[in-house]
Amino acid sequence: MTLVQEPRAKGDTQAVSDDPALSVVVPCFNEEENLKALLDRTRAAAEASFGEDYEIVLVDDGSNDRTWPMIEEAAEASAQIIAIKLSRNHGHQIALTSGLALARGEVILVIDADLQDPPELLADMLATMRAEGADVVYGKRKTRKGETWFKKASASLFYRLLARNAEIQLPLDAGDFRLMTRRVAQALVAMPEGDRFVRGMVSWIGLKQVAFEYTRDERHAGETKYPLRKMLRLAAHAFMGFSMLPLRFAARFAAIMFFFMIAFMIYALASWLLFETVSGWTSLMIMFAFSSAMQFLVLSVLGEYVGRTYLASKGRPLFIVDQVAGAPLARVDEARQSARNPGVWL
């Protein structure tokens, strides 16, 4: 079975079809400094492999700079640009999902707007997909330029700890940069969970997935949109969504505390029977404080899971789309009416 259709010849002036050979999905949040370079480099890479038979889906995730006006202008100037404006900042993973929901390419490239993942690698990733007969070619970072030792060390620890404790096989050192077939994207969009960890969800789908090693560049311009707080939140989504480690840690620690308390009780009883005991107010207070703190830790882990279950039970849409520019009306109507679509298209 052919997973990737052959593109139109470069230079074909026919307008992009409603179902192009390639879609490039790019979530954007305050990326006005990167947009021009992003579009120039992405267009060049897409045209080198697919001629005019491609589209670039730019998702504005509630930016408060000139990102949306620039995206809208690009959509008006080119038939290959589709612009989506979300009603507010929903976060990178949900913005990515909204772009995938509207993309119709036979293959779909996911890339960030900061150009740390070079769009010029599209041709090599496509060649790997065709040679391997794969549904997903994911970027595996060999080196990460322009990042602090803390960012590199914490990322390495996170990927290895998650991979060791996840219920599925997760690739190491792989972000969201990947090339996937349309059927993978459709399966991903159909997943209803709100606390999304897209790279883990893609791995959960299965099918044939192969690594593509590359060197991650420095950010082209501007500041990172993933500070420590957001990195920790993404890590929490990953562990809560794909690993039972937090619950198992709570259970194991509770078991350890139980046996420790039993041992302490035996020691106290033996001391009372065999020796003259002295009041041990300090040790009792230490034990009480320590055991109480651990109880709160266990309860907080359980509460996190209960809270996520409660939010999921509300059945709210993952995102709300405020405006769409550049996409055929029929496609937007299809997105509105699709039962598989997780968002609301106003």
Side-chain angles (χ1 to χ4, degrees):
M1 180 179 64
T2 302
L3 297 176
V4 184
Q5 292 184 353
E6 291 298 325
R8 297 176 188 171
K10 186 177 180 181
D12 187 348
T13 57
Q14 182 179 350
V16 64
S17 67
D18 192 31
D19 292 325
L22 170 72
S23 294
V24 183
V25 177
V26 192
C28 304
F29 178 64
N30 292 344
E31 297 289 359
E32 63 178 357
E33 296 175 311
N34 290 312
L35 269 175
K36 185 180 184 306
L38 168 73
L39 288 174
D40 289 345
R41 291 174 58 180
T42 304
R43 280 171 170 158
E47 289 174 2
S49 295
F50 291 90
E52 299 295 320
D53 198 11
Y54 71 92
E55 66 182 9
I56 302 175
V57 182
L58 301 172
V59 183
D60 176 35
D61 187 25
S63 299
N64 49 33
D65 60 0
R66 292 194 66 256
T67 296
W68 173 247
M70 293 175 67
I71 290 176
E72 202 171 22
E73 290 171 7
E76 291 174 357
S78 172
Q80 273 79 27
I81 306 296
I82 293 177
I84 301 174
K85 182 182 181 184
L86 300 185
S87 62
R88 62 173 178 82
N89 179 251
H90 287 75
H92 178 275
Q93 303 290 282
I94 291 181
L96 172 56
T97 302
S98 69
L100 292 173
L102 202 64
R104 290 295 181 272
E106 293 297 325
V107 292
I108 299 172
L109 177 69
V110 174
I111 192 170
D112 289 341
D114 56 16
L115 292 172
Q116 287 187 281
D117 304 320
E120 292 81 6
L121 297 177
L122 170 63
D124 293 335
M125 296 175 78
L126 183 65
T128 300
M129 174 175 279
R130 288 173 173 159
E132 298 286 342
D135 277 275
V136 178
V137 176
Y138 59 87
K140 182 176 181 180
R141 303 158 182 167
K142 292 189 296 185
T143 57
R144 304 160 66 107
K145 295 181 180 178
E147 295 184 352
T148 65
W149 69 267
F150 174 77
K151 178 72 176 291
K152 294 176 182 179
S154 59
S156 177
L157 177 63
F158 162 71
Y159 284 120
R160 281 150 184 80
L161 186 62
L162 179 60
R164 184 171 182 177
N165 293 278
E167 301 298 315
I168 59 174
Q169 184 175 355
L170 293 173
L172 296 175
D173 303 317
D176 293 322
F177 180 47
R178 63 194 60 222
L179 185 68
M180 67 182 77
T181 57
R182 182 171 170 181
R183 64 174 180 166
V184 173
Q186 289 176 333
L188 182 62
V189 169
M191 295 183 187
E193 59 254 48
D195 298 317
R196 301 177 81 80
F197 181 60
V198 170
R199 64 201 72 169
M201 295 164 71
V202 173
S203 295
W204 181 90
I205 291 171
L207 303 174
K208 187 169 184 180
Q209 306 192 19
V210 297
F212 178 86
E213 292 191 343
Y214 75 108
T215 298
R216 197 172 200 224
D217 292 338
E218 296 183 47
R219 182 179 176 85
H220 179 265
E223 298 180 351
T224 178
K225 304 307 183 296
Y226 256 97
L228 181 60
R229 175 178 57 85
K230 289 188 176 181
M231 289 172 57
L232 292 175
R233 183 184 303 170
L234 183 65
H237 291 340
F239 277 101
M240 293 290 182
F242 293 92
S243 174
M244 296 296 290
L245 178 63
L247 282 177
R248 287 171 180 164
F249 168 78
R252 289 170 183 171
F253 192 85
I256 292 172
M257 284 299 298
F258 174 77
F259 287 112
F260 184 76
M261 293 302 295
I262 292 294
F264 187 80
M265 288 171 60
I266 294 173
Y267 169 77
L269 182 60
S271 298
W272 178 72
L273 290 173
L274 302 175
F275 307 104
E276 182 179 352
T277 58
V278 179
S279 298
W281 183 86
T282 302
S283 60
L284 287 176
M285 289 301 101
I286 291 174
M287 284 298 303
F288 176 76
F290 183 70
S291 60
S292 297
M294 292 305 102
Q295 289 175 21
F296 279 117
L297 173 63
V298 172
L299 288 174
S300 68
V301 172
L302 295 176
E304 182 71 19
Y305 279 95
V306 171
R308 288 167 181 260
T309 303
Y310 167 70
L311 292 176
S313 70
K314 292 177 177 291
R316 291 174 179 167
L318 295 187
F319 55 84
I320 297 178
V321 175
D322 181 15
Q323 299 179 49
V324 178
L329 292 178
R331 192 191 300 187
V332 179
D333 289 338
E334 179 187 344
R336 286 195 183 102
Q337 298 167 10
S338 174
R340 294 163 58 89
N341 199 302
V344 171
W345 302 72
L346 301 179

